[in-house]
Amino acid sequence: MSFSSLVQDLSLRDRDGNGPAPRRPGAPSVSSTVDDRASHISRAMSYASTSATSVSISGEVSSQLHGGYFHPLARSWQAERQLTKSMLIYPLFITDGPDDMILVPSLPGQHQLGLNKLVPFLEPLVRKGLRSVILFGVPMKPGSKDALGSAADDPEGPVIQAIRLLRRRFPQLFICTDVCLCEYTSHGHCGILRDDGSLNNQLSVDRISDVAIAYAKAGAQCVAPSDMNDGRIRAIKLKLIEEGIAHKTVLMSYSAKFSGCLYGPFRDAAGSAPSFGDRKCYQLPPGGRGLARRAITRDIGEGADIIMVKPASQYLDIISDAKELGRDMPVAAYQVSGEYAMIHAGAKAGVFDLKAMAFESMEGILRAGATIVVSYFTPEFLDWLEH
Ligand SMILES: NCc1[nH]cc(CCC(=O)O)c1CC(=O)O
Ligand SMILES: [Zn+2]
Ligand SMILES: [Zn+2]
């Protein structure tokens, strides 16, 4: 008897009432099901031993999987990678209002922070083991946005000022900067536009790489272009080399960034929703696995030091592809604003426990192959990983 027909046979017996009562999905298992499972196993074994094709002892022994994970510690050993504090990057939204501390309604518990609020906000987190942040600038002053996104690398602007401040006050903190123009352009798109409203790739790449260099020179140890213009990784790498700072700047590429509906809360937080159209011409279609693989391969070839997949939980196959294509390099996954908001909404509606779901989503992301995770849950994980 084949394994699948065995399983089928057993599940038929369940329905006939000879096995445990069918469990409601998500209901906790009760101890009686453990006994029932034991009787299943012995039944399975007796089937197996009467079968002509599987009579070996090893066949029986290999069915005893529970022995490998009955204990919490042994359970944790089943994972290839376990979440540690140093894997986490925490996204921060920096405004140009020095005393701002504004809750973002669609992103529970997350703030837009002014420069004066940054150090007191981060101090307790750094004490708990926060190792890295990624900065997003949010210019709010009227008139600060223009067609070129000039505020992005304004030396007096929020990002450059925040980099300097954080390097001074938290010398151990690893500062990543998102490099894009959508937060700073009047039209809200991620590059420089032609008259017809489409992206001018060459001008966009020139501008994006200038912004990346400005962040790196201000002291950011990592620049992470999220604009998706073709050729930006090569352009940034070449400029970093030209400027003599390639040896102290990590280039993290948002290589596989999908266009979908999971960035809504972020666009509230960053004030970066496009004023017309969408990002479909420069972000990947959700079904485009092959395209994502090509983008990842290309970015590795252009000199990326880390490749990123974004969003995370809906794109676990892409994370796994990234780990395969970039098996000699770190793979980051961005658990984006919509994923975070969904988990909060589900927990609030009583679908699951927030902490349990946050861990399960993280375990999925790590299992798929991520070695770094950008997450709004970072402050919570710093607490949860204490115990
Ligand atoms: N290009 C900017 C950028 N960088 C990261 C995110 C999304 C992050 C999130 O949703 O948490 C976005 C938004 C977008 O592309 O529209
Ligand atoms: Zn953008
Ligand atoms: Zn477009």
Side-chain angles (χ1 to χ4, degrees):
M1 181 182 287
S2 73
F3 180 69
S4 62
S5 62
L6 182 64
V7 169
Q8 209 176 6
D9 185 77
L10 287 171
S11 63
L12 275 177
R13 279 171 162 261
D14 286 353
R15 253 176 270 137
D16 291 344
N18 294 330
R23 226 170 12 106
R24 197 162 51 82
S29 62
V30 287
S31 58
S32 74
T33 57
V34 174
D35 297 339
D36 288 331
R37 227 179 278 140
S39 76
H40 268 187
I41 290 170
S42 64
R43 231 183 298 153
M45 283 178 171
S46 68
Y47 279 122
S49 60
T50 55
S51 138
T53 51
S54 69
V55 288
S56 71
I57 293 277
S58 67
E60 291 178 16
V61 169
S62 70
S63 72
Q64 298 276 309
L65 296 182
H66 295 184
Y69 60 87
F70 65 93
H71 187 279
L73 182 63
R75 293 177 76 77
S76 74
W77 287 342
Q78 301 301 327
E80 249 179 78
R81 254 183 304 284
Q82 295 189 46
L83 185 65
T84 61
K85 294 179 180 181
S86 61
M87 288 177 180
L88 293 164
I89 303 179
Y90 185 37
L92 293 176
F93 301 100
I94 320 288
T95 69
D96 53 8
D99 295 310
D100 285 348
M101 183 149 181
I102 307 166
L103 266 173
V104 182
S106 56
L107 212 46
Q110 307 301 315
H111 299 83
Q112 295 165 323
L113 294 165
L115 282 178
N116 295 341
K117 294 290 159 63
L118 206 47
V119 171
F121 177 81
L122 284 177
E123 245 158 12
L125 299 179
V126 169
R127 219 174 302 124
K128 286 180 204 170
L130 178 69
R131 300 298 307 281
S132 181
V133 293
I134 183 164
L135 306 181
F136 296 88
V138 190
M140 310 236 259
K141 284 191 193 129
S144 54
K145 301 192 181 195
D146 60 24
L148 301 178
S150 307
D153 51 354
D154 176 0
E156 304 303 318
V159 177
I160 301 245
Q161 287 298 320
I163 296 168
R164 295 191 196 286
L165 176 67
L166 294 179
R167 283 302 304 271
R168 203 163 60 237
R169 296 298 298 271
F170 303 107
Q172 306 302 320
L173 193 64
F174 189 83
I175 317 284
C176 307
T177 46
D178 185 87
V179 183
C180 201
L181 298 182
C182 56
E183 297 95 332
Y184 313 97
T185 48
S186 38
H187 44 70
H189 279 286
C190 303
I192 312 291
L193 300 185
R194 296 195 195 90
D195 288 341
D196 67 359
S198 61
L199 275 182
N200 183 321
N201 196 78
Q202 191 53 53
L203 290 183
S204 300
V205 165
D206 290 348
R207 175 85 188 105
I208 287 284
S209 48
D210 283 346
V211 173
I213 298 304
Y215 294 164
K217 281 186 168 171
Q221 294 105 327
C222 171
V223 292
S226 66
D227 58 293
M228 298 297 282
N229 287 288
D230 282 324
R232 70 211 196 284
I233 300 303
R234 172 174 287 121
I236 294 171
K237 196 64 162 196
L238 288 176
K239 274 191 194 170
L240 287 169
I241 293 168
E242 218 175 271
E243 297 287 339
I245 49 177
H247 63 291
K248 53 178 185 178
T249 313
V250 170
L251 177 49
M252 175 160 71
S253 175
Y254 285 73
S255 296
K257 175 173 172 179
F258 289 86
S259 145
C261 45
L262 286 164
Y263 306 145
F266 172 93
R267 291 175 188 173
D268 289 346
S272 66
S275 63
F276 66 92
D278 53 43
R279 304 208 203 291
K280 292 198 169 95
C281 307
Y282 48 95
Q283 298 182 357
L284 304 173
R289 184 173 183 175
L291 206 50
R293 291 178 62 93
R294 287 161 58 200
I296 290 164
T297 302
R298 180 197 60 186
D299 287 359
I300 294 172
E302 289 191 10
D305 299 302
I306 301 174
I307 47 180
M308 193 201 285
V309 176
K310 168 190 166 191
S313 285
Q314 287 71 15
Y315 296 88
L316 296 179
D317 56 330
I318 313 296
I319 296 176
S320 153
D321 283 356
K323 191 64 201 153
E324 173 217 322
L325 297 167
R327 65 167 182 273
D328 299 322
M329 59 201 295
V331 172
Y334 197 140
Q335 182 182 52
V336 300
S337 58
E339 299 178 72
Y340 173 82
M342 257 200 297
I343 293 175
H344 268 274
K348 206 170 160 197
V351 180
F352 40 63
D353 173 69
L354 182 81
K355 176 180 173 182
M357 188 63 230
F359 267 100
E360 191 170 335
S361 67
M362 202 54 78
E363 281 168 328
I365 293 164
L366 297 189
R367 189 187 65 241
T371 61
I372 301 168
V373 187
V374 184
S375 174
Y376 301 97
F377 281 115
T378 296
E380 273 80 20
F381 277 118
L382 296 177
D383 284 328
W384 294 334
L385 291 171
E386 256 336 293
H387 310 288

